[in-house]
Amino acid sequence: MSPRDLAPPMTEADALSRTVDAKARGHFRYLADAPPPGTLHGAVLRSPHAHARVLHVDVTAARAIPGVHVVLGPDDVPPEFRYGLRLQDQPPLAQGTVRYHGEPVAILAAETAEIAARALAAIVVHYAPLEVVSDPAVALQTGVPVHPQGNLCHRFSFGRGDIAQAFAAAAHQITLQLETPRQMHAAMELEGGVAWREADDLVIRAPSQDPFYVARSVARLLGLTPAQVRVTGSPIGGGFGGKEDLHIQPLLALLAWHASRPVRLVMSRADSITAGYKRHPFRIDLRLGCDAAGRLLALDAQVLADTGAYASHGPEVLDTAMETIQGAYAFPAVRLEGRLAYTNNGVSGAFRGFGATQVQTALEAGIDQLARRARIDPLDFRRRNLAPATGDGPLDQDMVPQPELAWIGDRMAALPAPAPNTQLRYLTACGSALVRKGEGFGADGPNGAAGRLMLSAQGQITLVASLTDMGQGLTTAVRRMLCAQFDVQVDDVAVALGQTDADGAAAPDSGATSASRGSQIAQRLIRKGATGFTQAVLSRAASRLGCAADDLTFGAGGIYRTTARSNQPDLSFAALAGITEDITIPGLQATHGHPSAHSVFTACGARAEVAIDRWTGTVRVTRITLVPACGPPLSRSAFDGQMAGGAVQALGFVLTETLPTQEGRFTATNLDGYFIPTIADAPEICVEPIETLDPDDPVGLRGAGEIGLNAAAPAILCAVQEALGAAPPCLPVPAGWVLEQLKGLA
């Protein structure tokens, strides 16, 4: 009798609660928490300047300190190496110029943290400070280049219809300006990892939303083949986009390769704030017009985004923002102009919502204003202007039909009225939003993926994929998919995620776990591979049992005869271990329209209720109702968790979180100067999912990672705007501005 026969089966709830409990109590062991014996301590010397020429780096004294194994400066890194996704412009160590405060200048590995600190202090660097470029608008006009090619990192332009004629015909118009904040991911797990050499290979264990991207980048850096760099990127203690690009992996790889000893390198919270990626701050100018009946006619949008010193995901973020700035609506005429500027303000990169959060928050505030200008209820105004279920998408691309926009509008109209305000001290109001965002990557991809179904030695049907679990519940969701697909129990399935190799063999490349694509990629992989995998398993079982494969079926614990079925399998899954089915799926991509356009969209509605203290000006969100249209939730607890997490992150975006700079330096150095919402700030959150998609939908579900945030943020701002009768000029909503508005209402 095996231990499995003695132990009660572990339910999904058991597994999920154990993981959550361990993380909440600080017991969970992340990838950098289990270094092998003999691991060295890695350390980074960072620039004290936001912009300076590096005249000389002398590491001689540091190398002479006993216990120091390796010290590397800019001359020890291939000078031509850069990393980045669309634009490869970022060196691991500053090459001739530092472009942001905290940029790595030198690295080392030593026996202890104390020795490493002494060695860092012994490194001599001579700088020649340069003028700091911190305003993105000034950056595009100044003669001070952050990069030799200039300060315009990326530009987006799109137009449809005659914009001048459309505004001339408009009965009502509004203009709106909004500045959105630089936001931190503030994940529990800091950027860190451990790496070591194994013969001619390098092993890296560091959180990453795309392990194969890490392997390819590090291989280029060290002159290896990608197969020589074996990366484990999962589990992750919170990503939100902050671990999608490379963070410490290039530095860690350099140290471990040169030291020939394992090296552990983990950022401090202060280093993470200084050098980690941030959400792009946006300046958004909108002009909207509608006719007398409240039909939208025109949108003119100008967006300026600050990507900081390097591109990272900036071009893709701007493209996504400009695609989603039309929201869920049909505009006959649009003019969209977006610019992405280099500055010396740290580095901005991927962040949950990926540009859509910023622009849809502004657009929905503008929609509310235009509706009131036309004397139409804002929700009715939204419903009469929704994009049609079929037809071209916002950038004139072909897209998967989206009938759920209308269904969301209907569901929101049916929500019960908010509770009446019974306390005169508080000013209460509610606001609504209805948004959509492309899922996965645009037409320029990559949108396809590879995976593998296998029967493991433990007798479990296992999905092998390089997708990563960062706390979003992907492991739970995939286990549920496998159980449903093969009609087995949760103990019969397993998931092997987040690695470039598995059991000594190359793992399939599933692409990045970003843009809410993880669940839909896993679902499509399992469906695509199920037929071949089932046939292989039943064929081998039939050979063992001496019967026809048609007489067999899957069930709890193994294979059963369909006739005279017993309560025990006729052959256990473990007896069939080793069967594998490799799977590839093509991308779901638009075939015409703008090259950055998506073909699959996710939609969500939100209603936020706020109470504003007339005495203090404090804005408190009391309730958020989310109506996501993602298809049937695979795991209701994980789905609701994603929605609730997004709603609270939206609260921070609109009301509390900002990280301004002074001469390129962030004004906060820890979480005592940057205010993320706590559980005490969390409102009541109600999730009412729409579980039906178009019957011919090629996926059958949508990711839940971002859409709750994207809907909740504008709903909160619309509620504040409804309460005070005006929109703030910037986010988070300034407390002083609220008090001034309250004076006007007194």
Side-chain angles (χ1 to χ4, degrees), residues 220-231:
R220 281 197 302 116
L221 171 64
L222 298 180
L224 305 175
T225 66
Q228 289 178 273
V229 184
R230 291 146 47 195
V231 178

Side-chain angles (χ1 to χ4, degrees), residues 40-45 62 65-71 106-123 255 263-265:
L40 300 175
H41 184 94
V44 182
L45 182 68
I65 295 175
V68 173
H69 286 253
V70 61
V71 184
I107 51 176
L108 60 85
E111 292 286 348
T112 67
E114 292 73 21
I115 295 173
R118 282 198 287 126
L120 284 182
I123 298 174
L255 288 173
V263 177
R264 180 178 185 269
L265 177 61

Side-chain angles (χ1 to χ4, degrees), residues 37 73 78 99 111 163 177 192 204 238 242 250 311 325 406 413 455 465 522 529 542 582 596 605 635 674 718 721:
R99 297 183 170 88
E111 292 286 348
I163 193 76
Q177 292 183 321
I204 299 176
I325 201 167
L455 263 177
D582 288 325
S596 67
S635 167
Y674 179 89
C718 287
Q721 181 176 250

Side-chain angles (χ1 to χ4, degrees), residues 527-680:
R527 286 180 176 174
K528 176 74 180 298
T531 299
F533 179 74
T534 300
Q535 291 174 348
V537 172
L538 294 184
S539 177
R540 185 173 297 181
S543 176
R544 299 274 184 88
L545 295 172
C547 63
D550 290 345
D551 294 332
L552 300 174
T553 188
F554 283 62
I559 303 300
Y560 294 76
R561 297 179 191 272
T562 55
T563 58
R565 179 166 176 159
S566 68
N567 59 0
Q568 293 291 327
D570 294 283
L571 196 64
S572 71
F573 286 131
L576 299 167
I579 295 175
T580 63
E581 177 77 12
D582 288 325
I583 315 156
T584 58
I585 54 174
L588 294 173
Q589 298 178 176
T591 59
H592 67 261
H594 197 278
S596 67
H598 292 75
S599 65
V600 179
F601 281 74
T602 313
C604 185
R607 189 176 75 182
E609 300 169 37
V610 301
I612 300 176
D613 191 327
R614 297 178 192 269
W615 298 357
T616 66
T618 303
V619 179
R620 182 167 57 90
V621 180
T622 56
R623 182 184 175 93
I624 293 177
T625 303
L626 293 169
V627 185
C630 299
L634 296 166
S635 167
R636 187 58 197 259
S637 58
F639 185 85
D640 286 358
Q642 283 284 66
M643 290 296 148
V648 175
Q649 210 158 30
L651 191 154
F653 175 74
V654 177
L655 296 180
T656 64
E657 295 184 45
T658 185
L659 189 61
T661 61
Q662 292 179 350
E663 286 296 300
R665 293 169 177 262
F666 297 131
T667 54
T669 57
N670 210 328
L671 296 179
D672 57 358
Y674 179 89
F675 305 113
I676 59 174
T678 70
I679 196 166

Side-chain angles (χ1 to χ4, degrees), residues 83-110:
Y83 64 87
L85 292 173
R86 188 182 302 180
L87 294 177
Q88 295 181 342
D89 61 358
Q90 186 165 1
L93 297 177
Q95 295 289 324
T97 302
V98 290
R99 297 183 170 88
Y100 69 95
H101 174 236
E103 184 164 5
V105 176
I107 51 176
L108 60 85

Side-chain angles (χ1 to χ4, degrees), residues 302-314:
Q302 308 286 323
V303 171
L304 175 58
D306 179 1
T307 200
Y310 297 104
S312 186
H313 280 301

Side-chain angles (χ1 to χ4, degrees), residues 352-402:
R352 192 181 199 178
F354 213 74
T357 309
Q358 295 95 316
V359 298
Q360 292 193 325
T361 300
L363 176 73
E364 289 294 291
I367 290 289
D368 254 26
Q369 292 181 19
L370 190 59
R372 298 191 187 287
R373 186 72 57 88
R375 299 182 181 279
I376 299 173
D377 174 81
L379 182 57
D380 289 344
F381 187 93
R382 288 178 168 85
R383 295 174 72 195
R384 71 179 61 180
N385 284 292
L386 289 174
T390 59
D392 285 346
L395 299 182
D396 296 345
Q397 76 271 33
D398 54 316
M399 60 176 283
V400 171
Q402 196 174 32

Side-chain angles (χ1 to χ4, degrees), residues 233-321:
S234 183
I236 303 174
F240 315 117
K243 290 157 184 166
E244 188 168 340
D245 207 340
L246 303 179
H247 43 90
I248 53 82
Q249 295 97 335
L251 307 181
L252 187 61
L254 284 165
L255 288 173
W257 192 255
H258 286 275
S260 294
R261 284 266 299 267
V263 177
R264 180 178 185 269
L265 177 61
V266 179
M267 283 189 185
S268 65
R269 180 63 69 181
D271 280 352
S272 178
I273 290 175
T274 300
Y277 301 102
K278 309 293 185 298
R279 186 190 293 282
H280 290 80
F282 275 29
R283 293 181 186 177
I284 304 164
D285 287 85
L286 299 180
R287 182 187 179 198
L288 295 93
C290 70
D291 64 17
R295 300 286 180 186
L296 288 169
L297 295 178
L299 168 66
D300 190 357
Q302 308 286 323
V303 171
L304 175 58
D306 179 1
T307 200
Y310 297 104
S312 186
H313 280 301
E316 295 90 341
V317 168
L318 182 66
D319 287 350
T320 301

